[in-house]
Structure formats: structure tokens, C-alpha cells
Amino acid sequence: MVSTSSSQDSVATKTLTAEELTKIDAYWRACNYLAVGMIYLRDNPLLKETLQKEHIKQRLLGHWGSSPALSFTYIHLNRLIKKYDLNSIFLAGPGHGAPGVLGPVYLEGTYSEVYPDKGEDESGMQKFFKQFSFPGYIGSHCTPETPGSIHEGGELGYSISHAFGAVYDNPSLIAACVVGDGEAETGPLATAWHSNKFLNPIRDGAVLPILNLNGYKIANPTILARISPEELENLFKGYGYTPYVVEGSDPETMHQKMAEVMEECILKIREYQQEARTKNKAFRPRWPMIILRTPKGWTGPQEVDGHKVEGFWRSHQVPMGGMHSNPEHVKLLEQWMKGYKPEELFDDNGALIPELKELAPVGIKRMSANPIANGGLLRKDLKLPDFTEYAVAMDKPGTVEVENTRVLGKFLRDVMRNNMTNFRVFGPDETASNRLQDIYEVTKKTWMADYLPEDEDGGQLSPDGRVMEMLSEHTLEGWLETYLLTGRHGFIHSYEAFVHVIDSMFNQHAKWLDICKKHVPWRAPVSSLNLMLSSLVWRQDHNGFSHQDPGFVDLVTNKSADVTRIYFPPDANCLLSVADHCLRSKDYINVIVSDKQNHLQYLTMDEAIKHCTKGIGIWEWASNDDCGKAADEPDVIMACCGDIPTMESLAATAILREEFPELKVRFINVVDLYRLQSEKEHPHGLSNKEFDILFTPDKPVIFNFHGYPWLIHKLAYRRTKQERIHVRGYKEQGNINTPLELAILNQIDRFNLVIDVIDRVEKLGSRAVYVRERMRNEIIDNLNYAHEQGMDKPEVVNWKWQFS
Amino acid sequence: MVSTSSSQDSVATKTLTAEELTKIDAYWRACNYLAVGMIYLRDNPLLKETLQKEHIKQRLLGHWGSSPALSFTYIHLNRLIKKYDLNSIFLAGPGHGAPGVLGPVYLEGTYSEVYPDKGEDESGMQKFFKQFSFPGYIGSHCTPETPGSIHEGGELGYSISHAFGAVYDNPSLIAACVVGDGEAETGPLATAWHSNKFLNPIRDGAVLPILNLNGYKIANPTILARISPEELENLFKGYGYTPYVVEGSDPETMHQKMAEVMEECILKIREYQQEARTKNKAFRPRWPMIILRTPKGWTGPQEVDGHKVEGFWRSHQVPMGGMHSNPEHVKLLEQWMKGYKPEELFDDNGALIPELKELAPVGIKRMSANPIANGGLLRKDLKLPDFTEYAVAMDKPGTVEVENTRVLGKFLRDVMRNNMTNFRVFGPDETASNRLQDIYEVTKKTWMADYLPEDEDGGQLSPDGRVMEMLSEHTLEGWLETYLLTGRHGFIHSYEAFVHVIDSMFNQHAKWLDICKKHVPWRAPVSSLNLMLSSLVWRQDHNGFSHQDPGFVDLVTNKSADVTRIYFPPDANCLLSVADHCLRSKDYINVIVSDKQNHLQYLTMDEAIKHCTKGIGIWEWASNDDCGKAADEPDVIMACCGDIPTMESLAATAILREEFPELKVRFINVVDLYRLQSEKEHPHGLSNKEFDILFTPDKPVIFNFHGYPWLIHKLAYRRTKQERIHVRGYKEQGNINTPLELAILNQIDRFNLVIDVIDRVEKLGSRAVYVRERMRNEIIDNLNYAHEQGMDKPEVVNWKWQFS
Ligand SMILES: Cc1ncc(C[n+]2csc(CCOP(=O)(O)OP(=O)(O)O)c2C)c(N)n1
Ligand SMILES: Cc1ncc(C[n+]2csc(CCOP(=O)(O)OP(=O)(O)O)c2C)c(N)n1
Ligand SMILES: [Mg+2]
Ligand SMILES: [Mg+2]
């Protein structure tokens, strides 16, 4: 562990000259002054008047504890950006310390450029203070409104994966990432350190992690602050880093140390990069990281009301309250703020004095103005191959079988081939399992850890690989989110059941996009996050109950209609059409649900394009309610959504048409789930008129759905006589089963669907009793066969559509 | 790093005698034989006949790769259980390697005791083989059906937290926990290693982690297997362990090494425990852990069809397929199985020979029969104080304000006091934030890392603490799950928005309970998992959009009605009543949604008990539709669920009663959310009759809900004329707001509710236009005030119910 932590600093030559030191400290004081101002003041920003409670916000919000170390780090990085002309961005893991980020962003002028009413003058500063965490204005985290932010840091745990996602394929970028020592206790953060095994120093930029060991979380010490220095050192060496410790509290000493250490780290990074790049040999350096051990709430009040505050968890939020009832506290606040000597920092108009102003980089070198952190500005459309060329050929619907995702894999392979610097595919050790392995023909899996000879035989590993596989859904999702936010493109896939691991990350990203779209006009649109769920519930019959959960899409429908899209392509050609559409889109989270096993194919490419463009449609070849010149009046609508339910609905339709030739069946397939919702609730929603024409206003609908049945009711809730829509779906019944058995247990199978029709079409009713009985017998027979043979009957496995 | 990895073993005295070695290896061969048998065979279990394809299952399922190292570890632990009379259980992180666990469980007789048809004879073995991962039978993970399992290992990542949860307050227990090197890449696992900072060697048992560095996951190498030995050693030292390496592939050498190392580890554990216990001084030893570096698919086929299999990822699942088409493979399989020499292991009837049988512990010393792993057997009811003694006193409803969870904290404090060995409270650094800090009066927060003098001032830390705080929702949830499964009680709380972090863990635990309840009669009921969500969406107005998400309960309603319960107590007395009920219950996941801020109180304790017992009820004092002797006919039903929506509904009702004294309002509050569902779908559901009597069959219902509004429609879907139920709830509108502003943005506020009533009660309609206009003015006024003052108007903040 490289340490400069002895308080007797033995380094003879100081990194900073006396003048530099004075200036950087002054700059930091300005940051801290602003941070306190944001938390407390609504008026009198320069403290020109004696501080009165009227100048203070009624409701005090914000997190002081994190803030000083954040701005400390930020401005030390500024120095090196200027000195070495670095290309850098800044991520604040403890994003609740936004005052520590907003301060420097304001001081370097970006804030006022983006929000001209918060100018670099007294009235601008007043507004800047007042708006902070104030109703109707900006949040207290590094929200999308924060220039330069690509990481909100509200829900803790994703800073490191976000930092790595930004630097992949950005060879000149250094992402400085402050990690809270509390944040470091979260699972996602604890494994994200291993991202360094996926970073290629030739092709990628670098992350400089700064663990802010301020010792505390909300009301507790942190684990990493309370283990021995050896353990701490071992841990980060174990994670593959070279830890540098910067420890102390005296500002002058700490500025010198930080300046020295950060410079050494930056130089190390450049040295490693240069070595790899000149030799064109990718290796895995033990990248530097900084352990910044500083008091929480550094430079804040030492004690308040007899309790230790600085260097303790009591400084986490607002270190002193009761400002409107306790005049003592008002005085203390004034002393505290004046201790930063604002009069030496800001001129009479409230602008930072020029000698300090010049410490910050200018233009797009400012971390707050780096276009990489507003990636939509840099984004280039993907060069997409013509997806129709991957079409599965077909004579008759429902007769050919193909692994749907395998076909997609070929398309993705060529998407990759055309976009070898700004497109990546992410999966938790499941790319081959989910049948996307054809991508390996053009690129391998990124691997910067050790190699063994046997890897040659199908290992598909390479330092240059563009497929990202780590057994951490969290890390992958984190990488992808910022890969997109910095202007690139990507595709992630997961087993359907385990995508719940990243539910909360999905929520947060959806919220980020929603805010950007509606409230942050200066953020340019970014590529959509394309998430494919495969290894679906209906083909987890062999893995059992724990692998069966189609509920992620329920969660998705809780988020804003402006940023969410859900697709259930029934076959490979539809999957291609949907994938092409998603890869072109911006600012959405597109969820594609598609299984990896062999499935029947239904639509030619031409039909698929039409079907997917409509998002919902009648399959004429499966229906028999086209009455020629007479009005088409179906007796029942067989609707379906999802590859496997579609097959079962078709098989049921086949039985119905066989058994009841006089029954008029209309067959409707849904690809775009949101078509079901009202146009008032989702831009993809059908109008009620359109819905009624498709589904009739009153005929029974037997809707076979991939997921939990209630979701269909939720979406179709406002439709005419929606209670006639009878939905089947997964209802938590399953264990080790054959595919048909699992379908039967949840009643999405052909036989139960026929029974549903008989029970709901009045004109059949008891006149269909023999068929109904036969269906029940079929169910029993098939279950018995499954339990005896361990498989479904050949006629089920090999079932084909016969009618067209 | 303690290493015995040199293949030239220099240890002079071997741990195992020649005879012991022969026997343990034979026992292991029996395990491996069984594992292969489970995966492949449906008949001919002892290979008495020449193996034919007819003996082989049609569909080959299961994971061979993990299995040999699991049984290897299991049986070495058996040796020490016998030698030292240990009290042990076994957790298989890679639970997909169930064959490696089921084998030893069967060999030690437990399997046949629990499932007598799978006896210890040829026909029993045949059934045991056939049932594995076979439709209608048992799963291929360590599912609840597996005797001795408390960790399924389907969704990867929770083995270590599960192991620790089991040993807390179980001082004699040693939980051996095999961690997959792939699993180790997940976030939850990566941080769970820090659980050792919460383990007190006096009071708690010990976990012996065994990292199975078999090098591979599904189709990739693992990170930990491909970093340098120094990094690996550092990592585990950094996590606070003393790593012992056992590395190799030659069975004899490996048995010696494992015997030696495991014995040393067990002795170290006992030594540390003894030291702490005799001196009565809790300290944090650098606990031992084993790095077991063995080939994946150890002892399986070296190569299949020219590809390396043993020691490579190709051995992950079924190393050889095509058995029904490739006679060569059938031969290979026979050779492979015969290589274990079954004839030396099993007698003619198929029973393990007595010389081997005696290697296993007997009775409840067997890890598969340890009652701790069937914790319901050991569970004792909590000694609960009388919750009514914590009642908030009240004269008039809606006039007193109290922090609801603060009151709960007092109750929990005394629950804790009465149950200081089998009850713990878990929270991610939020116990005080969520206002449960009174618990600290009787116990502190567990802390086994370093202390500082300042901790004295409110740190509330102690090695004896029974409040578990770590900033990892995953780890806490994992600890709690097995704390419960091993027969104890607990309570966990989280910020509502961030509980999504553990969505997937909730799913898995719900599935576990559901299976236990319905399919595993020998598992005794365990205490419910009580999960309180606080810091709710409606009071995250200051933290902004990222902290607003009430959707966890949506997810909960996807899981089985037999194991899920959801409560929205409107005030402190109801919260007490609900909490008492939950703490007594078994086999559920109880979700309690209750805010921590000051809220109006509505019910006396007596009323609260009745209300919570009914789960839903009319609040007579708020209603004015009681028509004395005439039939009660309301014009509108004001329904509500959740503390904050309840207050807004009441405030709206107050306005209605003021403005329209002739309007008959019935006020209904819902505590038990599932009351809304049909009795056919949830045991708590009201019958349609009951529902119609409460809600009338046709009057408009204005339902103010805490969460996303659709959930109410989902639950009330089958109710009479449910389209008259007009639901308000959170709809993803929010940022930094005042409480009322946030309510207004989502239209759950009093003013919008009044408008809703005007718009829906025909007899009002345009005759109420002036009130409607005034409401709209109020909305505008209040928003303006909030944006100017940063708070709500005093009349809103101090609003009280005036009518009774
Ligand atoms: C996943 C998650 N759990 C809980 C919280 C609540 N929370 C907000 S700040 C905080 C403590 C953070 O401590 P640390 O990371 O050390 O940051 P510091 O304030 O010390 O800089 C917690 C627990 C959260 N934001 N996210
Ligand atoms: C959270 C999660 N993601 C993905 C999977 C899919 N999966 C099943 S087994 C496996 C590999 C496990 O490797 P390891 O832990 O090393 O176990 P081994 O089989 O080598 O013993 C994966 C990725 C899963 N079960 N859980
Ligand atoms: Mg901290
Ligand atoms: Mg492995």
C-alpha cells in the first residue's frame, strides 16, 4: 500500500508550490462555502448582512457529510486536467453529497451556462442556494439536472460499474469515481471492483477509484473504516488494485498529499496505457486507486450541542438544525461559513475571483461540460445490417422449428461486425446458453484475467472481446447503463427469472431517462437500453420452481410510459424485426421476451414486419371468421402474447377448428404489449375504437399470456366489457415438469384453452360436452405420460399447424 | 495463505491412516456413483446388467460439474463430525450441484427415512435415480425437499449470508458453506464475506466457507480462478479470513490434504471460540476458510468427442449426451460409472456396505438430519409483551400526531427484552432513521469490527448487540431468511424504494415457503419473515424521484396467496396490532407498510384491534351515512389504504361534509390489502357478498391508495361493477416537493379527491361547480406557496379532523 499517511510529511519537495497550495485551498473553501450555502441559505448568499433566521431555509435538507471530500477530490482532479490536458469525468458514488459536486460545477461556470438564471453573481448565487433541495427545484443527489453527472447516486451501489461502463471504448477517458465507504458495503459495489478484469488498457480508458473512507454512513461506522490497515490493503490488492492512502484532516497537508498521490496515480495510469499501447500488448496492470481517509463533514462544526459532529456520523445530513428557534445555531452557522472567508473568494458581485477561476479547466475540459457525460451529443446511429437477410424461410406457418434467439445471434453478430467500437453485448455467463454464440464469429468475450491453454478449445476469450460476461447481473447492467449514457449502444440479456436481481437498477435507470426526457432539455437523447429476457418460465420446466418468474414486466409497467417498451415476438422473424427497431430507438428501456429453445415459426419476414409494426394483429391463416363478402363475426377471439403461449393457443385453435368447424375463431397475436393499454396511458396504446374492431366489443376473448395473467387485465382495464377477456398465464405452479405439464399446471395449454372456449362460448356449451371430456382425458393422459417417460408425447413435441 | 498445495506432499505424518483413506475414498466413490446415476439412469441402478440405452433417461438433466467437490467436502466434514462430535449443517452455494449433496444424504440413510420408497436397496436406489430432475419429482437444486438443506442455491449469491444467518445465536453450530467460484462473482456474495464483522464468537457459532475454485461457471472461467495466487490470498485476508488452500486432483493426495486442512480449520474455530468464551471476551479472529481448487467435473470423463471435459466448463451440466443415439457414449458412461467400483461399495441388495456406512455420523448428528435445518422443529413462540400497553392515547380521532414507527420501536424493544436469544432486528443502517431506536435501550447494534472512543456518544454498538446493521439489503435479508429457517424470529425494515434491491430474494424465499407448505410435510412451520417498509414514497418528497417507488407490493401479489400478507396500518395503534399478529404468525412473508414521520392517529387501541382483525372497515366517526333506523345509503364511498392516503381521504371527507352536508359519505379504511381480493384467490379475501355490503354494489368508490393505483384494480378485479372503483395512487410524478405538493402531483391529495367526488356523484355534478373551482384554486395556491416557502401552509401541516 503506497502510503503518505504519516502526519510528519517526510517528502522534501512538495508537489504544490506555496501559491498553488494557497489557491487550491481557497478554491476548496469556496466549494465548501457553497455547499453549506446550498443546504442552509435562501438569501444573503455572500453574508454581506449579519445572518438572520430569515435568510435561512425553513426546511433544511441535504447531506453535508459527504460533500467536502467530494469537492476536494474534484478540484484536485481539475489541477491535473489542466496540467496534463486530461479528458475526465467525475462520478460521486455518494450522490447525496451533491453539494460537493454542484459547488465546483458552479464555480467552473458550467452551471450558469446551462441555467443562466443561476449566474455567477450574487443574485445567481442566491438562486443557486435556494433551489437546492427546494420544492419545485433540484434534487439533493447528482440527478440528471446536474451538468457532468452520469450517476445519480441515490440508490447506492453502482458507482464503480458506472465508471467502468463509461470508459470502455473511450481510450482517452479517465473516470474519477468517488466511492462511499458505506456504499462499498453494498453487494453490487463489492463485486464491481472486479471490473478491472474486463478493462483493456489499449482500447479502453481508465477508472480512478477514490474510496472516501470518511468512516461513517447514516448512523453507523463503516466496515472498511474499522478493519485493520492490513486488511484494507489486502482487500484492494486482492481486488487487483494498488491502493494509495491519503489520510488526515489538516487541509494544507492533505492538499499536498492529495496532489502528490493523485498525480502519481494519473501518471501510473498513463504509463500503463502507454506501455500497452506502444507494445500493442494488452495486460492487466494493478491499477492505482486512492483510499482517501478524511473526517466525515470535514471542516464543518466540530461539535454541536455538546456532541461530536466533524469526523462522526452526526455530520451525515444537516449538522445543525433548529435554526428558526435557536439563535445560537444561527451564530454558529455564520461563524462556520465565514470561516471559509468568502470575502477572499468572491468579488463584490459574487463572482469567484479571477485568480481562483483560472484553477479550473475551461470549455469541454471541465468535467461538468465534458460531452461524454451528455453522451447523446456524441452518439452515432448504429450501422445496422439489413435484418431481413436473416429471415427464416418458411412455406407454411407453424411447421418449421428454429431456436429464435439463435437467429437473433446471427443478426447481432453482424451488428457487432459493423460497429466494432461502439456496440457491446452483455450477459451473465449466458450468451451461449441463450444461443447468441454466433457473435463469437466476429468478437470474443472480453477477458483480461489469466488464460490457460484449454481456453483455445471453445473458450472464446480475448482481451479485445466485445461480449461482456461476468456472473453479476448488477455489474453488467451498471456497465451498460453508462456505456449508453456516454453515447454508445448495447444489448443485455438475462435469464428471465433472475432479471429480478436488477429490478431496482431498472427502476433507477427508467427514472433517470424519464427526468432527462421531460425536464432536462439540454441532455441529448441516448440509445435505448435493450434488455432481452430468455430462458423463459415455460422452458424452465427442468430447473424447477426457483427459475420460474415472468414478473419483471409487471415492474416495467409501473414506470413511465414515456420510457418503457415491452415486446413479445412470437417467432424468429418477429424477433429480428423487433430487435432492429429497438437498436434504432432512443431513450427507452426496451424489454424483449424471447425464448432460446426450438419453436415453431409463423410469419414470413414480410408478414413479420407488418405484424411487428402494427404490434398486434389478426393471423388470418389461423382464423376462420373471414366471412368473405359478409360481415366477419367471430364467436370467440383466441388472443395470445409470447412465443410459447402462442403455440398453445394455435394448438387449441387447431382442435377447435377440427372439432367445431362451424365455430368462428379469430386469432390475434400481440407483439407490442402496450398496444393493449389505452392510447391515453401509453403512446403505443390502441384507441378504444381500434381495440373494439379487433376484439369486437363483446365476444369472449381467451387471452393466453406469457406472464402473470393480471398484467393483461391491468393493461386492458379500460377496454369495452373487459371482463369478457379471460386471461391465462403463469400462476406460480411448477416444479420439475415437461413443457406441456408446466403449461397444464398453469392452464395455458391447448386442452385447457379448448375447455375455456367451451365454457365461454354460449353456442357451444353443453353441446360440446364430449369434446370437453376428451380434453380432460388428454390432460390426464399427458400428465401420466410425462411422469412415466420424462418427456412429452411425440405428438405434442412434434405438433405442427395443419390448416394452411 | 496456509497452503498444502505442493503435489509432493512433504507432510510426514498423514492425517488419515491407510485404512481411513481407503474408506473415505470409497465413500466418495459411492457419492460420485450416485451423482452420475441420478443424472443418467432410470433403471439398472447397480449396473448388474450391461448398460443399455433403455436404462438411461430420455432427457438428461442435472449438473455434474459441481457435484464431486460438494460430496468431497460433505464427507470430509462427516469425518470431523464423528471425531469431534460436531453440530454441523451443510450449505451448497452452487445448489445446482444437488447430486453432490443428495448422494451423501442418501448414503447416510436420511433420505430413505424421510422418503421410505427410496430405500437403501436396489429398488430404492432405482427410484432415487429416476426421480432426480424428473417430471413430477424432485428438482435439480438443493430444494426444500432435500433433507438438511436451508439453501436452495438456484438463484446464486446467497450462500454465505445464509450460512451466517444460521449460526447467529447458535453457539455450537458450524455451518459449512461451499461457495461456487462463479457464485462468488455476484454482488450479494461478494459483500457477504464481511458477515464476519457481525459474528460474536461467544454467542454465535461459526461458518466454515469452502470456496470451490473449480475454475469455471457455465461457459466461462471464473475471475477468482484466473487471478494470481497472491491476489486471491490478499482478497480473503482482506475480507478478514485466513485462507487455507487445498489444491490438486489426485484423490488420495487430496483426501489427505483435505482431511488435514479441514481438521485444522475446525480446531482453529474451536480454539477461537474457546478463547473468547473462557475469557468472556468477544474478539474477531481471522476465521479460517478453505480454497478448494479442484477440477470441475472431477473424476468424470476427461474428454468427450475430442473435447476436454474434466477440469473445464464443458463438465458444467451433463458431460455426455446423445445416449439414445450414440452407443459409444453408453459404453463410456458404463465405464465411467464402473470406474467407481460399485460392487465394492454396495452389497447385492444395493445397500452401502457396513464398513462404509459407519463413516457417517448417526441420528441427528447427520447434517441431513440436523433439526437446525428443519428449524420449525426447534422454534419456540416469542414471549410477546402485551402490545396494547404501548397504545397511543387518544380522545378524538385525527387530532394527535405521533411517529408511528417510533411507537413500534418501543414494542420491539420489549419484544427484544423478552427474547434475547432468538429474536433479532435487521436494517440497512436505517434503524434510527426509521425511528426504531428505542430498541437500543435493551440491546445495541452488533459490531465486531474496531471501536473508537467517540462510539460511546450514541454509537450504540456492542459485540452483544442484537440489531444487525450493514449497508447491504442483500446480506441482511440473507441472514434473516436462515435465522428464521433455523427456528428463530426476526424483523427487517428498509426504505420502501430500495427494498427492490432484494426483490429477487423475496421471490426465492416466497417460493421456498410455498413449496414447504404444500409439498414438504416433514418441514415444520417456521416464523414468518416480517418486513417493514418505511421512509415511504409520500415522505420522500425531499429525497426526490429516485427515492419514490411503492411497487414492491405489486411483486408480492405475484407470489402464492398461501405465503404472502400485506398490511397498511393507518396509525400507530393499528401498527402495533398488526406487528403483534405478524410476530406470532408462521410461514408467511408479512409486508408492513408504515411511515416514520409524524402522522395523525385515528383509532383507540380497542378500535384498532377490531379494525385490524377485520382488516377492512367503516370508520363510523368519519362517515355520515348512518341513517339511524332507515337503511344506510351512501352517495359515495371514500376508501383508503396507507397512512398518508388515509389522512388525505379524511381531509377530503372533511371538505365534503363541510361543503355538502347533505352528501352521504361512507369512509372505509383498508389495513389488510388482501381483503380486497376475492376469497377464492386469497384466504384473506372478502366474499363478494361482504364486499358489496361494505362498498354497496353500485355506488362510486374513490379509493386513495398508497401504491401504484393498478394494484387495487388487480385485487378488486372480480368485484361487482368494479369499474366504479376510482383509484388514486402514485403515478411516477415527483421530484423535490413538499408532502402536499407530491400528493397533488399524483392526485391523491384532499383537493383532487373532492374533485373526483364531484365528478362522480351524479347528484352533485354541476351543482357543485363552485366548490370544484375552489378546489382547483386551492391546488394552485398550495403549489405556489410550496415553491415560495419550501413548506406546506400551516393549515395543511397542522390539519386536524374536526367532526368528532
Ligand atoms: C441501496 C441503498 N440503501 C440505503 C440507502 C440509504 N442511505 C442513504 S445515504 C446512506 C449512507 C451512505 O454512506 P456512505 O456511502 O459512506 O456515504 P457518505 O455520506 O459517508 O459519504 C444510506 C444507508 C441508499 N441510499 N441506498
Ligand atoms: C443470479 C444468477 N445468475 C445466473 C444464474 C445461472 N447459472 C446457473 S449455474 C451458473 C454457473 C455457476 O458457477 P459456479 O458458481 O462456479 O458453480 P459450479 O457449477 O462451477 O460449481 C450460472 C451462471 C443463476 N443461477 N443465478
Ligand atoms: Mg461514509
Ligand atoms: Mg465453478
Side-chain angles (χ1 to χ4, degrees), chain A residues 9 29 55 121 127 133-134 146 153 163 182 225 265 286 291 333 336 355 437 503 515 605 609 625 628 676 698 742 752:
Chain A
D9 204 341
R29 284 189 277 118
H55 302 139
D121 52 30
K127 294 203 187 78
S133 212
F134 198 86
T146 312
C265 292
R286 300 309 182 255
I291 296 177
L333 174 61
W336 173 16
E355 302 88 292
Q437 65 268 40
D503 277 3
I515 293 282
M605 186 44 94
I609 294 173
D625 69 326
L676 295 175
D698 52 4
L742 185 61
N752 272 300

Side-chain angles (χ1 to χ4, degrees), chain A residues 430 471 473 498, chain B residues 66 96 154 156 180-183 214 216 296 316:
Chain A
E430 293 165 2
L471 211 179
E473 287 81 357
F498 302 142
Chain B
S66 266
H96 48 272
L156 296 167
D181 48 356
E183 184 195 10
N214 65 15
Y216 296 93
K296 190 154 183 167
H316 180 65

Side-chain angles (χ1 to χ4, degrees), chain A residues 117-243:
Chain A
D117 61 323
K118 279 96 193 174
E120 295 178 74
D121 52 30
E122 185 166 358
S123 101
M125 193 189 285
Q126 180 269 332
K127 294 203 187 78
F128 179 66
F129 283 178
K130 187 185 157 184
Q131 66 156 7
F132 174 79
S133 212
F134 198 86
Y137 300 92
I138 65 158
S140 57
H141 294 80
C142 296
T143 61
E145 292 93 340
T146 312
S149 174
I150 54 167
H151 171 82
E152 170 153 351
E155 182 172 291
L156 297 167
Y158 317 123
S159 61
I160 286 287
S161 60
H162 277 167
F164 275 87
V167 304
Y168 292 138
D169 293 315
N170 255 333
S172 74
L173 184 66
I174 296 182
C177 178
V178 178
V179 180
D181 49 355
E183 184 195 10
E185 293 177 14
T186 66
L189 204 294
T191 201
W193 297 108
H194 289 297
S195 301
N196 55 10
K197 280 85 186 180
F198 301 87
L199 184 129
N200 177 332
I202 301 179
R203 169 184 68 172
D204 304 323
V207 171
L208 176 60
I210 299 106
L211 176 70
N212 184 210
L213 217 62
N214 65 16
Y216 296 93
K217 316 181 275 228
I218 298 180
N220 279 295
T222 59
I223 295 173
L224 296 186
R226 299 291 184 98
I227 57 177
S228 68
E230 298 73 45
E231 284 177 306
L232 190 65
E233 175 180 356
N234 281 329
L235 187 62
F236 286 98
K237 286 187 168 172
Y239 277 129
Y241 296 87
T242 305

Side-chain angles (χ1 to χ4, degrees), chain A residues 63-67 69-70 93-97 141 153-158 178-186 188 212-220 222 296-297 315-317 504, chain B residues 428-430 433 470-473 494-495 497-499 501 543 547:
Chain A
H63 293 76
W64 163 247
S66 267
S67 300
L70 285 171
H96 48 273
H141 294 80
E155 182 172 291
L156 297 167
Y158 317 123
V178 178
V179 180
D181 49 355
E183 184 195 10
E185 293 177 14
T186 66
N212 184 210
L213 217 62
N214 65 16
Y216 296 93
K217 316 181 275 228
I218 298 180
N220 279 295
T222 59
K296 190 155 183 168
S315 64
H316 179 66
Q317 295 192 353
S504 61
Chain B
D429 188 26
E430 294 165 2
S433 169
M470 172 175 169
L471 210 180
S472 166
E473 287 82 359
S494 166
Y495 287 2
F498 302 142
V499 73
V501 167
N543 273 321
H547 285 52

Side-chain angles (χ1 to χ4, degrees), chain A residues 496-497 534-541 547-550 595 644 706-707 730 742:
Chain A
E496 182 183 50
S534 197
S535 303
L536 303 181
V537 49
W538 302 112
R539 290 298 178 271
Q540 288 299 325
D541 45 293
H547 284 53
Q548 296 164 2
D549 194 311
D595 194 53
I644 292 130
H706 170 85
Y730 185 68
L742 185 61

Side-chain angles (χ1 to χ4, degrees), chain A residues 562-575:
Chain A
D562 292 319
V563 299
T564 52
R565 301 290 181 269
I566 304 172
Y567 300 98
F568 284 90
D571 69 3
N573 288 340
C574 291
L575 176 58

